[in-house]
């Protein structure tokens, strides 16, 4: 089958549209993270139901979804489980190409895939140490924690392709094969290419986003199973032509803001992100009770902001810079802006771990070296070294590992720490977290073309409590998932309305109770709903503006056993509503969202229609996005000056090849 896959790829590249038109704006991963997959299992029934089999004519062996196994590093490092098969599910297949839809609209972007994005609800930092401070494009960068390492019975490849209306395209091609039983290697390529959704000068091909990622990975285990090595490499290039939003939105009617003739503020402004990542995980098992592990990471990140040439309109919108360079265009001397920020990080972790009866333990040391330029043209080089100490214990109260208690602690001698406690009893859980983390390098010190600051901010303190459970009615007619999240942030750091980093005095508390309730009728009809209510209180509550009500619904028909188990089908409508709020505005000069009070994002109901189906190893998704455009209003804004998507048609395929 691999030869048929290569023929299909050849056909798409040379007899259809060019490769640069074969992509969209958000590529899909083969595997969802553990939490999302568990949710899929609840919604999709037993994940181990009969699979669609395919016969290899030469070897007479059967290869299918169950013969392609995967795990993540944390499964190996924290003893969370063994290999599991890739999923044949089509549940929410129409979400796989959009980070906003995949998050159930809890993410704010600029209305197009690949653009700057942030969580609407504040999140605690992923590390207690120093970071770059540039995170709005992390959604499209490789995530080592979600990297999958495979063990396959036969060569495996897939083609994941989306063609969206208005020049939104995505292509992802993974391949993996076992060299022998204990060594698997693989590679992957993805591209995100999207046109501007407003302010186009020509179509198609007036690009807003150009993204390429290439990755390699390897999974090796020795014959005696004592040595285990996971390794990977990523190279990512992400280019964004910034638009600055629609001109004069306050002077236009809502209808004029969504016409095809609107003009963007910017055209020559670019963000260029280049990232290389090298990763190795090694462990040696003396026995089940005592194992040694070591991790090595090297990451190079380059962030470039450039305006070539700096036209009068762009200079007016971006404000006259204090520093600029010159460029010769058509014999004329023009102004240009070129800022380059560079970060190189070396990370080493070593420790011991093991299982002693129902107990799991881990003790480790982490060392991180950071070399940074902020900005490389005007700033100074910084060298930072951090030492971390970490520990984890987990106690299982049953053999199925569904009833457990876990404690995780990280400590940085420079005054930062994190403590996480979790208790889970089957489908009920309680978790408590407290973190004191370093401010990012960017908010502490920066010297560039437009801004210049030096700060000595206090370390913010984050406390969080989460609790939830699941109740099922008799006959599984209805399932309810109530939960609550309480978060307190002391001395929060944010960007004020003058685009300067600021630290608030006092604290803020964010209380978000929520409930997901699903109904099932006549076996195949489903009504799923998710409601979140949020209140922000405290002396620093002005730092966070969050919708009070956030509602998501999905009404659909799903059948998984059609045509002698060869066909799966899911189709219906989904809708989303959130109450009005003052969403943060985006500044491309510093890649940051900042506070504003002059542009309110009003409540709006967004509806999509979708049809997902699967025949043997072939999946397809058909979707009409923003189905209700024009029913009440001509459109909606997702970020100040940035309109949401118009009514659009998307078609996506995912074709798996197992031999």
């Amino acid at each position: 089958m691999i030869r048929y896959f290569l023929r299909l790829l050849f056909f798409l590249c040379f007899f259809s549209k060019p490769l640069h038109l074969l992509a969209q704006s958000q590529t899909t991963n083969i595997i969802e993270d553990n939490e999302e997959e568990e949710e899929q299992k609840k919604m999709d029934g037993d994940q181990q139901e009969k699979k669609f089999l395919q016969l290899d004519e030469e070897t007479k062996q059967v290869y299918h979804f169950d013969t392609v196994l995967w795990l993540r590093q944390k499964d190996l490092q924290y003893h969370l489980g063994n290999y599991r098969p890739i999923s044949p599910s089509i549940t929410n297949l129409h979400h796989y190409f959009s980070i906003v839809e995949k998050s159930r609209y809890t993410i704010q972007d600029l209305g197009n895939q690949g653009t700057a994005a942030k969580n609407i609800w504040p999140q605690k930092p992923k590390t207690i140490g120093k970071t770059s401070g540039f995170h709005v494009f992390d959604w499209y960068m490789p995530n080592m924690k979600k990297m999958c390492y495979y063990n396959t019975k036969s060569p495996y490849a897939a083609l994941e392709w989306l063609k969206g209306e208005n020049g939104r395209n995505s292509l992802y091609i993974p391949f993996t094969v076992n060299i022998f039983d204990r060594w698997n290697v693989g590679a992957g390529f993805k591209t995100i290419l999207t046109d501007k959704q407003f302010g186009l000068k020509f179509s198609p091909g007036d690009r807003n986003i150009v993204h390429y990622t290439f990755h390699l990975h390897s999974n090796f285990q020795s014959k005696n199973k004592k040595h285990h090595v996971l390794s990977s490499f990523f190279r990512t290039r992400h280019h964004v032509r910034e638009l600055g939003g629609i001109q004069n939105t306050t002077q236009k009617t809502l209808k004029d803001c969504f016409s095809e003739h609107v003009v963007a503020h910017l055209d020559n402004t670019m963000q260029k992100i280049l990232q290389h990542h090298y990763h190795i995980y090694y462990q040696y098992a003396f026995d089940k009770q005592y194992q040694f592990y070591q991790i090595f990471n090297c990451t190079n990140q380059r962030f470039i902001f450039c305006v070539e040439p700096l036209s009068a309109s762009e200079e007016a919108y971006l404000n006259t810079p204090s520093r600029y360079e010159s460029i010769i265009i058509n014999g004329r001397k023009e102004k240009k802006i070129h800022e380059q920020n560079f970060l190189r990080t070396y990370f080493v972790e070593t420790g011991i771990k093991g299982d002693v009866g129902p107990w799991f333990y881990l003790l480790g040391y982490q060392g991180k070296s950071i070399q940074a330029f902020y900005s490389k043209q005007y700033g100074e080089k910084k060298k930072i070294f951090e030492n971390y100490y970490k520990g984890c214990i987990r106690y299982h109260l049953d053999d199925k590992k569904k009833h457990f208690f876990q404690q995780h602690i990280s400590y940085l001698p420079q005054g930062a720490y994190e403590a996480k406690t979790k208790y889970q009893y089957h489908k009920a859980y309680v978790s408590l977290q407290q973190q004191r983390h370093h401010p990012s390098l960017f908010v502490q010190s920066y010297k560039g073309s437009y801004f210049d600051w030096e700060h000595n901010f206090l370390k913010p303190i984050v406390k969080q409590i989460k609790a939830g459970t699941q109740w099922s009615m008799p006959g599984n007619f209805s399932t309810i998932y109530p939960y609550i999240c309480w978060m307190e942030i002391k001395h929060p750091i944010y960007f004020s309305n003058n685009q300067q980093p600021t630290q608030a005095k006092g604290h803020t508390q964010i209380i978000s109770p929520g409930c997901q309730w699903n109904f099932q009728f006549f076996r195949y009809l489903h009504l799923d709903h998710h409601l979140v209510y949020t209140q922000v209180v405290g002396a620093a509550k002005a730092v966070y503006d969050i919708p009070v009500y956030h509602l998501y619904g999905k009404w659909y028909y799903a059948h998984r056993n059609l045509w002698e188990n060869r066909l799966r089908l899911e189709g219906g409508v989904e809708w989303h509503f959130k109450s009005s709020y003052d969403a943060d505005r985006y500044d491309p000069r510093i890649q940051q969202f900042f506070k504003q009070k002059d542009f309110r994002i009003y409540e709006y109901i967004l509806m999509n229609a979708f049809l997902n189906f699967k025949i043997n190893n072939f999946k397809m998704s058909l979707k009409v996005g923003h189905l209700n455009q024009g029913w009440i209003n001509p459109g909606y804004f997702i970020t100040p000056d940035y309109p949401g998507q118009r009514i659009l048609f998307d078609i996506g395929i995912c074709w798996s090849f197992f031999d």
Side-chain angles (χ1 to χ4, degrees):
M1 284 299 295
I2 295 296
R3 61 182 180 272
Y4 297 116
F5 166 76
L6 295 175
R7 291 174 185 173
L8 176 62
L9 181 59
F10 179 84
F11 174 80
L12 287 173
C13 291
F14 294 96
F15 295 97
S16 183
K17 295 187 177 182
L19 181 62
H20 70 275
L21 295 178
L22 280 179
Q24 171 230 8
S25 40
Q26 164 67 17
T27 186
T28 158
N29 295 325
I30 308 174
I31 306 299
E32 297 298 300
D33 63 19
N34 289 341
E35 293 78 13
E36 291 170 329
E37 189 173 33
E38 287 301 322
E39 182 178 334
Q40 274 193 358
K41 290 179 181 179
K42 296 172 185 175
M43 301 170 64
D44 205 32
D46 185 6
Q47 198 73 336
Q48 299 302 322
E49 63 182 272
K50 182 183 291 186
K51 304 297 190 297
F52 308 114
L53 305 182
Q54 182 176 345
L55 186 64
D56 186 319
E57 296 295 339
E58 297 180 358
T59 63
K60 304 301 180 183
Q61 292 179 343
V62 175
Y63 303 119
H64 48 87
F65 291 94
D66 266 350
T67 61
V68 180
L69 308 178
W70 64 275
L71 55 68
R72 291 200 171 101
Q73 178 185 302
K74 66 179 181 180
D75 299 322
L76 198 61
Q77 184 179 1
Y78 290 95
H79 298 196
L80 297 177
N82 209 335
Y83 290 100
R84 69 214 76 173
I86 63 174
S87 172
S89 173
I90 60 170
T91 300
N92 293 329
L93 181 64
H94 57 291
H95 286 175
Y96 284 5
F97 306 97
S98 168
I99 62 168
V100 174
E101 294 178 359
K102 192 174 179 180
S103 72
R104 296 186 176 181
Y105 302 92
T106 62
I107 290 174
Q108 173 192 350
D109 67 359
L110 306 184
N112 198 6
Q113 290 301 317
T115 56
K118 65 179 283 288
N119 281 294
I120 297 176
W121 279 261
Q123 307 290 316
K124 68 180 184 63
K126 297 178 181 179
T127 177
I128 58 178
K130 296 180 176 66
T131 63
S132 68
F134 296 114
H135 300 301
V136 294
F137 296 109
D138 283 357
W139 312 93
Y140 318 106
M141 300 296 135
N143 187 337
M144 296 309 302
K145 292 183 178 180
K146 294 185 178 181
M147 180 66 196
C148 299
Y149 300 93
Y150 294 90
N151 183 11
T152 65
K153 303 299 182 184
S154 67
Y156 169 74
L159 174 68
E160 300 184 13
W161 171 58
L162 178 105
K163 175 61 181 175
E165 204 173 350
N166 285 4
R168 299 172 301 111
N169 309 284
S170 176
L171 178 68
Y172 179 40
I173 304 173
F175 174 78
T176 184
V177 63
N178 271 43
I179 303 300
F180 49 83
D181 290 344
R182 295 169 284 102
W183 185 22
N184 175 276
V185 297
F189 170 78
K190 77 174 181 180
T191 180
I192 305 171
L193 300 166
T194 61
D195 286 354
K196 299 175 183 176
Q197 300 303 291
F198 61 89
L200 279 79
K201 288 190 173 180
F202 55 90
S203 181
D206 192 2
R207 295 297 189 209
N208 185 191
I209 307 296
V210 177
H211 172 105
Y212 296 103
T213 290
F214 173 73
H215 68 83
L216 301 169
H217 56 84
S218 172
N219 177 12
F220 172 80
Q221 189 174 27
S222 63
K223 189 173 182 179
N224 60 8
K225 297 186 178 181
K226 290 184 176 293
H227 301 270
H228 205 144
V229 182
L230 307 176
S231 59
S232 58
F233 164 77
F234 283 95
R235 185 186 188 276
T236 298
R237 189 185 73 175
H238 191 81
H239 287 188
V240 181
R241 186 174 294 278
E242 297 285 6
L243 303 179
I246 296 174
Q247 289 187 10
N248 304 319
T249 52
T250 57
Q251 303 174 16
K252 289 183 171 68
T253 64
L254 192 59
K255 184 178 180 179
D256 291 338
C257 289
F258 293 92
S259 73
E260 296 181 356
H261 306 292
V262 295
V263 180
H265 281 289
L266 305 174
D267 186 59
N268 301 324
T269 303
M270 292 286 295
Q271 304 279 4
K272 300 179 181 180
I273 299 98
L274 180 63
Q275 186 174 115
H276 297 86
H277 193 105
Y278 308 86
H279 179 81
I280 298 176
Y281 172 85
Y282 168 76
Q283 78 171 31
Y284 179 81
F286 295 94
D287 51 38
K288 186 178 180 180
Q289 290 78 26
Y290 181 72
Q291 301 174 12
F292 168 82
Y293 76 92
Q294 194 161 29
I295 302 171
F296 171 77
N297 275 331
C298 176
T299 303
N300 296 322
Q301 297 172 291
R302 193 180 302 273
F303 306 93
I304 298 174
F305 172 77
C306 59
V307 189
E308 299 180 7
L310 182 62
S311 64
S313 60
E314 289 182 288
E315 188 171 351
Y317 176 76
L318 297 172
N319 293 328
T320 302
S322 59
R323 305 176 179 91
Y324 58 84
E325 302 175 34
S326 298
I327 185 173
I328 304 298
I329 299 179
N330 296 327
R332 294 189 307 171
K333 189 175 182 180
E334 302 278 1
K335 296 178 181 178
K336 78 168 185 176
I337 299 297
H338 187 93
E339 290 187 9
Q340 185 175 174
N341 301 294
F342 177 77
L343 191 78
R344 175 176 291 152
T345 304
Y346 294 99
F347 174 87
V348 176
E349 179 178 343
T350 185
I352 57 173
K353 61 188 180 74
D355 289 314
V356 181
W359 289 90
F360 165 80
Y361 73 92
L362 181 145
L363 296 173
Y365 161 81
Q366 298 174 337
K368 184 165 70 172
S369 173
I370 302 174
Q371 301 177 23
F373 283 108
Y374 284 83
S375 158
K376 194 169 183 179
Q377 281 70 21
Y378 312 114
E380 297 180 355
K381 186 176 181 180
K382 299 179 181 179
K383 292 185 178 181
I384 300 166
F385 191 80
E386 297 177 335
N387 295 286
Y388 300 78
Y389 303 95
K390 63 184 293 187
C392 177
I393 57 170
R394 184 173 64 248
Y395 179 70
H396 292 280
L397 298 164
D398 66 352
D399 295 335
K400 296 182 179 180
K401 297 186 177 182
K402 294 183 178 181
H403 185 194
F404 64 87
F405 168 85
Q406 180 173 288
Q407 176 73 52
H408 189 284
I409 297 175
S410 297
Y411 175 67
L412 183 60
Q414 288 88 340
Y417 62 86
E418 182 176 40
K420 298 186 289 186
T421 302
K422 183 176 182 180
Y423 172 77
Q424 181 163 326
Y425 178 73
H426 297 278
K427 295 179 180 179
Y429 69 91
V430 177
S431 68
L432 299 88
Q433 302 180 42
Q434 180 164 326
Q435 180 191 79
R436 187 169 187 251
H437 63 88
H438 280 278
S440 70
L441 294 170
F442 181 67
V443 301
Q444 292 284 56
S445 175
Y446 181 71
K447 190 175 185 180
S449 300
Y450 290 94
F451 298 99
D452 192 341
W453 61 68
E454 287 284 342
H455 295 293
N456 187 22
F457 289 137
L458 300 174
K459 298 179 181 66
I461 299 175
V462 182
K463 300 177 183 178
Q464 188 177 70
I465 299 175
K466 290 183 178 181
T469 188
Q470 174 185 330
W471 295 326
S472 296
M473 303 300 179
N476 290 325
F477 161 76
S478 177
T479 306
I480 303 175
Y481 306 88
Y483 66 89
I484 187 170
C485 177
W486 173 86
M487 176 183 284
E488 181 185 76
I489 306 174
K490 188 176 182 181
H491 308 308
I493 298 173
Y494 65 101
F495 281 81
S496 60
N497 56 6
N498 62 356
Q499 296 89 51
Q500 294 283 335
T502 307
Q503 186 162 49
K505 296 180 180 179
H507 68 277
T508 183
Q509 295 184 12
I510 303 167
I511 304 100
S512 297
C515 184
Q516 179 179 335
W517 66 100
N518 304 333
F519 299 94
Q520 182 175 336
F521 302 95
F522 309 112
R523 189 177 179 183
Y524 303 118
L525 297 178
H526 302 261
L527 302 178
D528 297 347
H529 308 86
H530 188 191
L531 172 66
V532 182
Y533 172 80
T534 302
Q535 280 293 323
V536 182
V537 298
K541 67 178 183 180
V543 174
Y544 302 104
D545 202 301
I546 303 171
V548 176
Y549 295 99
H550 184 281
L551 184 60
Y552 170 82
K554 180 182 173 186
W555 302 341
Y556 62 103
Y557 170 89
H559 201 309
R560 303 180 182 91
N561 299 308
L562 292 168
W563 196 11
E564 298 180 351
N565 290 333
R566 290 187 177 89
L567 174 65
R568 294 186 180 189
L569 183 67
E570 177 188 270
V573 296
E574 64 179 359
W575 50 274
H576 159 66
F577 168 85
K578 58 173 171 277
S579 53
S580 60
Y581 73 113
D582 294 322
D584 290 348
R585 194 184 289 272
Y586 176 68
D587 190 337
R589 297 172 296 179
I590 52 175
Q591 289 188 27
Q592 303 293 331
F593 286 86
F594 64 94
K595 306 304 298 180
Q596 61 85 33
K597 289 292 183 181
D598 58 0
F599 196 115
R600 192 159 183 83
I601 302 297
Y602 288 99
E603 64 269 10
Y604 188 80
I605 297 178
L606 177 69
M607 295 181 63
N608 303 323
F610 64 92
L611 175 64
N612 304 325
F613 64 89
K614 177 178 180 294
I615 302 176
N616 291 334
N617 303 325
F618 179 81
K619 302 178 185 179
M620 177 173 281
S621 173
L622 306 173
K623 185 185 76 172
V624 179
H626 199 177
L627 177 68
N628 59 319
Q629 182 183 10
W631 291 9
I632 300 176
N633 289 320
Y636 67 100
F637 283 90
I638 192 168
T639 294
D641 294 336
Y642 290 88
Q645 290 285 3
R646 299 175 176 88
I647 182 170
L648 296 171
F649 176 74
D650 296 343
I651 178 171
I653 66 172
C654 179
W655 201 341
S656 299
F657 303 86
F658 295 101
D659 61 345

